[in-house]
Amino acid sequence: MSSPAADLTLRHPVERFTLDNGLRVVLAPDSSVPVVAVSVFYDVGMRSEPEGRTGFAHLFEHVMFQGSANVPKMEHARLVQAAGGSFNGSTHQDYTNYYEALPAEALERALFLEADRMAAPAITEENLRNQIDVVKEEIRVNVLNRPYGAFPWLQLPQIAFESFANTHDGYGSFVDLESSTVADAQDFFDRYYAPANAVLCLGGDLDVTETERLVRRWFDQVPHRPAPPTPYTGEPSPTTARHGVVVDPLAPAPALAIAWRVPDPVGDLDTYLGTVLLGELLSEGDASRLELRLVHRDHLAVAQSSYVGLFGDPFDVRDATTLTTQVHHPADVAPERVLAAVHEEVDKVAQDGVGADELARVQARTSAQLLRGADSVLGRTLGFASAELIHGRAELAGELAARLAAVTPEAVQHAARGLAPDTAAVLELHTAGGAA
């Protein structure tokens, strides 16, 4: 009889092959619905950016939607939507992705579009200047003119880490963005958008043989360029506590963020899974330990959350990363009280462990979230693509729910013992009135 954990494994067929130009291709056929998803993940993210070019990964995501050799500006959107599909792209710490979800008969259309911009996006002065303005306005709206806009995802890494890759503003400084040139953009494309630095993942109602033929038809013609070395983003574990303060004139209430370094998500995945569940145990749901302690019992906070990885997905990031606890608290509550309460709750898990029933509840919720994400063709395809790029195995995306369900209480207790107060990075956010 199989174990409950094994029953959560998504035994989904996965086929793979590699083109002569180095493009890795993953196929995940599923004929249950007449829909296909097409995703291209490039191994370049915010942590790949060189000094003086902060924000370039995100800027380039915008540029890639401005047309290509055989597709005029705005035509990509029109062609996908005219076929009844949707599209998008996103920039992460360690990759940038582009994707479409369409009716199955429109598969070749999406392949043509992605191959065309992989070969020759329209990198022009007009497109670059226009998209720099778009990104600057996005920064104004999402960061500069929004309460907590940079907190803590842009501000905490400067305290938690040491290297430029991990500490710089991935959204980008206006100085760096405005000083970039077409030559810079072309160099960025030549270096990081090589087919050998990408994964093409297709899912849904597709015939493997016919899909391989179509992939080769459109992507074989993309010229080979060598893939750059994967940037090293790991750092030595901290040995001291670090502390910082920022003032947010727009924030209605103060906040606190605490970050602890966690095990390598790729090289030490089994240990890392204990940390992922610890974060869920601390913060997710009304019965979580920090929600009960900070919000309901001691009234030290109005909101709290814990998560691994800056973008909230613990499985699409390489080393180094953190478990972060973020707390918004009333102005009359000293941040030291909040910090002490958080450390006390973590220490309770470290000293006393966690009961099997409590852990089972957390595991059930976490596994359900993963399985729901894989329920749609697009969600499953994006998961396979991310796992192939980050972990080298698309199949891992289908195994994560089962592996989380198999984590022991001892593993979660071990994870809590790694969150020591004397190695934490703490960021206080003060309101303008509070700072005065």
Side-chain angles (χ1 to χ4, degrees), residues 277-344:
L277 288 176
L278 174 63
E280 297 284 322
L281 180 144
L282 289 173
S283 288
E284 287 300 311
D286 289 339
S288 65
R289 297 199 177 197
L290 291 180
E291 185 75 11
L292 289 172
R293 171 74 184 274
L294 300 179
V295 179
H296 298 298
R297 194 186 88 191
D298 292 357
H299 306 295
L300 297 176
V302 294
Q304 61 78 34
S305 62
S306 295
Y307 46 90
V308 180
L310 287 180
F311 287 77
D313 185 341
F315 303 115
D316 73 346
V317 64
R318 297 183 175 117
D319 202 38
T321 192
T322 60
L323 188 157
T324 300
T325 292
Q326 178 177 334
V327 182
H328 294 253
H329 60 91
D332 60 354
V333 173
E336 292 80 10
R337 291 182 64 198
V338 178
L339 183 62
V342 171
H343 283 313
E344 284 176 15

Side-chain angles (χ1 to χ4, degrees), residues 223-393:
H224 167 77
R225 298 190 306 279
T230 301
Y232 179 71
T233 54
E235 292 189 15
S237 296
T239 56
T240 59
R242 286 133 297 143
H243 189 271
V245 175
V246 294
V247 176
D248 186 341
L250 301 177
L256 183 76
I258 312 157
W260 298 269
R261 188 75 57 79
V262 299
D264 182 350
V266 178
D268 193 8
L269 179 59
D270 285 334
T271 306
Y272 180 76
L273 293 177
T275 305
V276 172
L277 288 176
L278 174 63
E280 297 284 322
L281 180 144
L282 289 173
S283 288
E284 287 300 311
D286 289 339
S288 65
R289 297 199 177 197
L290 291 180
E291 185 75 11
L292 289 172
R293 171 74 184 274
L294 300 179
V295 179
H296 298 298
R297 194 186 88 191
D298 292 357
H299 306 295
L300 297 176
V302 294
Q304 61 78 34
S305 62
S306 295
Y307 46 90
V308 180
L310 287 180
F311 287 77
D313 185 341
F315 303 115
D316 73 346
V317 64
R318 297 183 175 117
D319 202 38
T321 192
T322 60
L323 188 157
T324 300
T325 292
Q326 178 177 334
V327 182
H328 294 253
H329 60 91
D332 60 354
V333 173
E336 292 80 10
R337 291 182 64 198
V338 178
L339 183 62
V342 171
H343 283 313
E344 284 176 15
E345 291 304 314
V346 172
D347 189 59
K348 286 179 184 177
V349 181
Q351 297 299 323
D352 304 332
V354 54
D357 289 345
E358 183 182 14
L359 179 57
R361 186 188 73 243
V362 172
Q363 287 169 314
R365 182 176 58 246
T366 308
S367 296
Q369 290 171 345
L370 281 169
L371 294 172
R372 278 198 303 270
D375 197 40
S376 71
V377 171
L378 178 59
R380 187 164 59 248
T381 302
L382 294 176
F384 283 143
S386 174
E388 182 72 20
L389 186 74
I390 300 297
H391 295 271
R393 284 187 66 244

Side-chain angles (χ1 to χ4, degrees), residues 135-178:
V135 170
K136 287 168 60 180
E137 183 60 21
E138 190 176 318
I139 294 171
R140 292 188 187 100
V141 171
N142 292 338
V143 178
L144 301 179
N145 296 321
R146 174 180 291 182
Y148 314 106
F151 179 84
W153 75 287
L154 293 178
Q155 297 164 329
L156 186 56
Q158 300 171 30
I159 301 169
F161 297 108
E162 300 291 336
S163 69
F164 174 80
N166 290 319
T167 59
H168 77 271
D169 179 351
Y171 231 151
S173 76
F174 282 12
V175 171
D176 285 357
L177 291 169
E178 290 168 350

